[in-house]
Short mmCIF file of all heavy atoms in Angstrom, two decimals:
data_model
loop_
_atom_site.label_atom_id
_atom_site.label_comp_id
_atom_site.label_asym_id
_atom_site.label_seq_id
_atom_site.Cartn_x
_atom_site.Cartn_y
_atom_site.Cartn_z
N GLN N 39 -5.58 23.52 -1.56
CA GLN N 39 -6.95 23.87 -1.28
C GLN N 39 -7.17 25.02 -0.28
O GLN N 39 -6.90 24.78 0.87
CB GLN N 39 -7.76 22.62 -0.92
CG GLN N 39 -9.30 22.79 -0.70
CD GLN N 39 -9.96 21.49 -0.28
OE1 GLN N 39 -9.44 20.74 0.30
NE2 GLN N 39 -11.11 21.40 -0.78
N SER N 101 -4.04 9.06 -18.11
CA SER N 101 -4.94 8.38 -18.65
C SER N 101 -4.52 7.79 -20.02
O SER N 101 -4.06 8.49 -20.82
CB SER N 101 -6.27 9.14 -18.96
OG SER N 101 -6.88 9.46 -17.88
N LEU N 107 -4.59 13.68 -21.93
CA LEU N 107 -5.97 13.15 -22.05
C LEU N 107 -6.60 13.24 -20.78
O LEU N 107 -7.85 13.00 -20.63
CB LEU N 107 -5.98 11.73 -22.61
CG LEU N 107 -5.57 11.63 -24.18
CD1 LEU N 107 -5.74 10.21 -24.50
CD2 LEU N 107 -6.54 12.47 -25.03
N ARG N 109 -5.55 13.09 -16.03
CA ARG N 109 -4.78 12.47 -15.03
C ARG N 109 -5.59 12.15 -13.93
O ARG N 109 -6.77 12.66 -13.67
CB ARG N 109 -3.68 13.61 -14.58
CG ARG N 109 -2.76 14.18 -15.60
CD ARG N 109 -2.04 15.35 -15.23
NE ARG N 109 -1.44 15.94 -16.49
CZ ARG N 109 -0.17 16.46 -16.48
NH1 ARG N 109 0.63 16.32 -15.52
NH2 ARG N 109 0.23 16.91 -17.64
N ARG N 110 -5.18 11.41 -13.01
CA ARG N 110 -5.91 11.09 -11.76
C ARG N 110 -4.88 10.98 -10.64
O ARG N 110 -3.72 10.59 -10.91
CB ARG N 110 -6.76 9.73 -11.86
CG ARG N 110 -5.90 8.53 -12.06
CD ARG N 110 -6.71 7.31 -12.35
NE ARG N 110 -6.02 5.98 -12.42
CZ ARG N 110 -5.60 5.55 -13.58
NH1 ARG N 110 -5.72 6.20 -14.66
NH2 ARG N 110 -4.97 4.45 -13.59
N PHE N 111 -5.34 11.16 -9.41
CA PHE N 111 -4.40 11.21 -8.34
C PHE N 111 -4.83 10.28 -7.31
O PHE N 111 -6.11 10.32 -6.61
CB PHE N 111 -4.44 12.75 -7.74
CG PHE N 111 -4.10 13.72 -8.82
CD1 PHE N 111 -5.01 14.54 -9.46
CD2 PHE N 111 -2.86 13.95 -9.34
CE1 PHE N 111 -4.73 15.36 -10.41
CE2 PHE N 111 -2.49 14.74 -10.33
CZ PHE N 111 -3.47 15.56 -10.92
N GLY N 115 -1.42 12.57 0.14
CA GLY N 115 -1.01 12.69 1.51
C GLY N 115 -2.03 13.37 2.36
O GLY N 115 -3.04 13.77 1.71
N ASN E 32 -11.43 15.10 -22.84
CA ASN E 32 -10.61 14.37 -21.94
C ASN E 32 -11.32 13.56 -20.97
O ASN E 32 -12.52 13.60 -20.84
CB ASN E 32 -9.63 15.38 -21.29
CG ASN E 32 -8.87 16.01 -22.31
OD1 ASN E 32 -8.21 15.45 -23.23
ND2 ASN E 32 -8.61 17.39 -22.13
N PHE E 33 -10.62 12.76 -20.17
CA PHE E 33 -11.19 11.86 -19.24
C PHE E 33 -11.41 12.66 -17.90
O PHE E 33 -10.71 13.56 -17.60
CB PHE E 33 -10.24 10.72 -18.98
CG PHE E 33 -10.16 9.70 -20.05
CD1 PHE E 33 -9.05 9.88 -20.93
CD2 PHE E 33 -11.05 8.73 -20.38
CE1 PHE E 33 -8.95 8.84 -22.06
CE2 PHE E 33 -10.99 7.88 -21.38
CZ PHE E 33 -9.97 7.87 -22.27
N TYR E 37 -13.65 12.69 -6.97
CA TYR E 37 -12.98 12.41 -5.63
C TYR E 37 -13.91 12.58 -4.66
O TYR E 37 -14.76 13.60 -4.74
CB TYR E 37 -11.82 13.31 -5.51
CG TYR E 37 -10.67 13.19 -6.55
CD1 TYR E 37 -10.71 13.93 -7.71
CD2 TYR E 37 -9.59 12.33 -6.39
CE1 TYR E 37 -9.84 13.84 -8.74
CE2 TYR E 37 -8.60 12.04 -7.39
CZ TYR E 37 -8.76 12.93 -8.51
OH TYR E 37 -7.84 12.74 -9.48
N GLN E 39 -14.21 13.69 -0.66
CA GLN E 39 -13.39 14.30 0.47
C GLN E 39 -14.21 14.40 1.74
O GLN E 39 -15.08 15.25 1.91
CB GLN E 39 -13.02 15.74 0.20
CG GLN E 39 -12.01 16.35 1.20
CD GLN E 39 -11.38 17.65 0.65
OE1 GLN E 39 -11.98 18.35 -0.05
NE2 GLN E 39 -10.27 17.94 1.23
N TYR E 50 -12.35 7.20 -12.27
CA TYR E 50 -11.34 7.72 -13.10
C TYR E 50 -11.72 7.24 -14.57
O TYR E 50 -12.48 6.33 -14.78
CB TYR E 50 -9.96 7.30 -12.75
CG TYR E 50 -9.61 5.78 -12.98
CD1 TYR E 50 -8.98 5.27 -14.19
CD2 TYR E 50 -9.99 4.85 -11.97
CE1 TYR E 50 -8.77 4.01 -14.15
CE2 TYR E 50 -9.78 3.59 -12.15
CZ TYR E 50 -9.07 3.05 -13.29
OH TYR E 50 -8.74 1.78 -13.45
N ASP E 51 -11.03 7.94 -15.55
CA ASP E 51 -11.38 7.74 -16.97
C ASP E 51 -13.02 7.63 -17.26
O ASP E 51 -13.47 6.77 -17.96
CB ASP E 51 -10.72 6.37 -17.40
CG ASP E 51 -9.32 6.40 -17.53
OD1 ASP E 51 -8.63 7.65 -17.32
OD2 ASP E 51 -8.56 5.50 -17.75
N GLU E 90 -12.69 16.42 -11.81
CA GLU E 90 -11.39 16.85 -12.35
C GLU E 90 -11.07 16.43 -13.69
O GLU E 90 -11.44 15.22 -14.03
CB GLU E 90 -10.32 16.33 -11.27
CG GLU E 90 -8.80 16.57 -11.69
CD GLU E 90 -8.22 15.32 -12.39
OE1 GLU E 90 -8.38 14.28 -11.73
OE2 GLU E 90 -7.64 15.47 -13.37
#
Side-chain angles (χ1 to χ4, degrees):
Chain N
Q39 186 174 33
S101 294
L107 291 180
R109 302 170 194 222
R110 63 186 186 272
F111 305 104
Chain E
N32 293 320
F33 290 102
Y37 301 86
Q39 186 174 26
Y50 68 97
D51 290 357
E90 172 261 310

